[in-house]
Amino acid sequence: MCAALAKPVLYTYFRSSCTWRVRIALALKGIAYDSAPVNLVKDGGQQMTPEYQAVNPMQQVPALKIDGITLSQSIAIIEYLEETRPKPSLLPQDPKKRALVRMISEHIASGIQPLQNLTVLEQFGEKKQDWAKNCISRGFKALEQILHETAGRYCVGDEVTMADLCLVPQVFNAGRFKVDLTPFPTINRINKALLELEAFQTSHPSRQPDTPSELRV
Amino acid sequence: MCAALAKPVLYTYFRSSCTWRVRIALALKGIAYDSAPVNLVKDGGQQMTPEYQAVNPMQQVPALKIDGITLSQSIAIIEYLEETRPKPSLLPQDPKKRALVRMISEHIASGIQPLQNLTVLEQFGEKKQDWAKNCISRGFKALEQILHETAGRYCVGDEVTMADLCLVPQVFNAGRFKVDLTPFPTINRINKALLELEAFQTSHPSRQPDTPSELRV
């Protein structure tokens, strides 16, 4: 089969928040794909094998084989899907609103998530939980303030955008680190509204092919 | 004056690598702007003031006031400039090449820079330098491998793209943390070629309005 016509392959880990962003995009756009699970903790991490290093030199998930190329980095992947499979759109038409969507996405993808990533947490030993909690709370405090200006039903207006694909997985991580969401009512409200949508449910960490049976719902 | 016609204002710090990315974009596109320096270290950091917190709730630079809105997050800002001031273009026309540019940009902006940011470094005390060196080296090792597939004269092909705007400031940071560039000949070559261009020179940390006199060249 020609590479361009082959079904995309997503290198995924059920609990990876960056991969979840991409799973939501694929679900919303109705793109069928095969999952190639990469267990980030088993045997010292399957991402460390030479085979996976050839897929993504950064040895992280997600990576997506699609249209004959292999892409890593979740926002870059979502932007590519948006440009090549534009319906339904994950970016507004208006350049200023597009900028706000990208700003919120990057706020989460560069400003919060990397600080509570596995590699960083390992450095903190017993203080791991406190560090992660603190980074997420600080980022959410700023995000709550930004959302007061941008939000409608969702992060920017009333349509689901890339920003929402970043929000829900980050709130899930906040839950893992027991961040109190009471000071962030807008984040909490939008997260709940998004979790009612099918694409956010089917892509959920509790429902992936590699989800351990005890974590399935 | 109407906000849309006012000169853009860049909240900047001479040594901020994220701000340098935006300064290069503004220079390449020939966009005149006023600088509003925010000293990130003086008096505990001028980004902590209520005045600046109103500009950017995340209390980081860069932020750009433009066309009546205030944006933060460097890649989001560059994407906005690209959409509203498309010449010269910082993204290729081909969607696959655009994806590679965004992948490399995000690799640096989410995968390397946040891990060696001031807030994280403060946690490491005496091990600060080692941690930063290690994060940058690890990211550069992956990047070198990616560039073997994508690079021409610059990161993706022979035209300057957003990826190059991320590369040069990150190599500058690598220098501050004494990362040996010998294992990364492609990164080193591209960085040198880019530093020959005027837009990378005028935007350089050593030539900003807030550069301390002893660091000027």
Side-chain angles (χ1 to χ4, degrees), chain A residues 67 76 83 96 98 106 110, chain B residues 67 76 83 96 98 106 110:
Chain A
D67 302 340
E83 292 193 343
K96 289 182 190 178
R98 293 165 75 85
E106 194 177 346
S110 294
Chain B
D67 302 340
E83 292 192 344
K96 289 182 190 176
R98 292 164 75 85
E106 194 177 344
S110 293

Side-chain angles (χ1 to χ4, degrees), chain A residues 55-87:
Chain A
V55 172
N56 180 3
M58 196 57 174
Q59 300 170 300
Q60 294 172 335
V61 288
L64 185 68
K65 277 197 183 179
I66 188 166
D67 302 340
I69 55 171
T70 303
L71 293 173
S72 59
Q73 301 297 341
S74 62
I75 306 293
I77 293 172
I78 296 167
E79 293 266 7
Y80 178 75
L81 296 176
E82 180 70 7
E83 292 193 343
T84 57
R85 282 96 170 153
K87 301 280 173 187

Side-chain angles (χ1 to χ4, degrees), chain B:
Chain B
M1 198 190 306
C2 151
L5 296 176
K7 214 195 251 185
V9 177
L10 178 68
Y11 295 85
T12 180
Y13 179 55
F14 74 103
R15 199 148 60 184
S16 154
S17 63
C18 302
T19 310
W20 190 5
R21 297 171 195 154
V22 176
R23 290 198 304 253
I24 304 167
L26 291 164
L28 283 169
K29 289 179 178 289
I31 303 166
Y33 66 96
D34 289 322
S35 290
V38 180
N39 191 314
L40 299 189
V41 291
K42 199 180 162 189
D43 310 328
Q46 295 175 341
Q47 75 280 18
M48 308 308 278
T49 61
E51 290 74 21
Y52 191 69
Q53 213 258 349
V55 172
N56 179 4
M58 196 58 173
Q59 299 170 300
Q60 294 171 336
V61 287
L64 185 69
K65 277 198 185 179
I66 188 167
D67 302 340
I69 56 171
T70 303
L71 294 173
S72 60
Q73 301 297 340
S74 61
I75 306 292
I77 292 172
I78 296 167
E79 293 266 8
Y80 178 75
L81 295 176
E82 180 70 6
E83 292 192 344
T84 55
R85 281 97 169 150
K87 300 282 175 189
S89 181
L90 299 175
L91 287 171
Q93 287 303 302
D94 174 58
K96 289 182 190 176
K97 286 190 183 150
R98 292 164 75 85
L100 294 176
V101 168
R102 287 187 172 119
M103 178 179 86
I104 293 169
S105 303
E106 194 177 344
H107 176 89
I108 296 169
S110 293
I112 304 179
Q113 193 281 332
L115 303 182
Q116 49 97 90
N117 201 359
L118 205 57
T119 329
V120 179
L121 288 186
E122 282 168 356
Q123 307 300 318
F124 283 94
E126 285 179 7
K127 292 183 182 163
K128 192 158 84 167
Q129 177 106 349
D130 285 348
W131 167 256
K133 232 171 135 165
N134 189 34
C135 293
I136 298 172
S137 298
R138 186 171 170 273
F140 274 10
K141 193 180 160 202
L143 182 58
E144 179 75 16
Q145 194 176 326
I146 292 167
L147 291 173
H148 288 171
E149 308 292 323
T150 63
R153 180 161 175 77
Y154 305 122
C155 284
V156 178
D158 295 324
E159 304 294 329
V160 175
T161 66
M162 182 164 70
D164 301 303
L165 278 50
C166 296
L167 183 77
V168 168
Q170 189 58 58
V171 174
F172 181 80
N173 278 353
R176 289 177 59 203
F177 295 114
K178 307 201 189 313
V179 173
D180 175 20
L181 288 187
T182 317
F184 316 119
T186 316
I187 292 175
N188 204 6
R189 169 181 69 73
I190 295 170
N191 181 61
K192 280 184 181 160
L194 288 161
L195 282 172
E196 286 172 16
L197 306 177
E198 195 189 351
F200 289 76
Q201 291 170 2
T202 55
S203 60
H204 195 279
S206 64
R207 292 178 61 183
Q208 297 312 299
D210 59 329
T211 308
S213 54
E214 67 274 20
L215 298 176
R216 288 191 170 273
V217 288

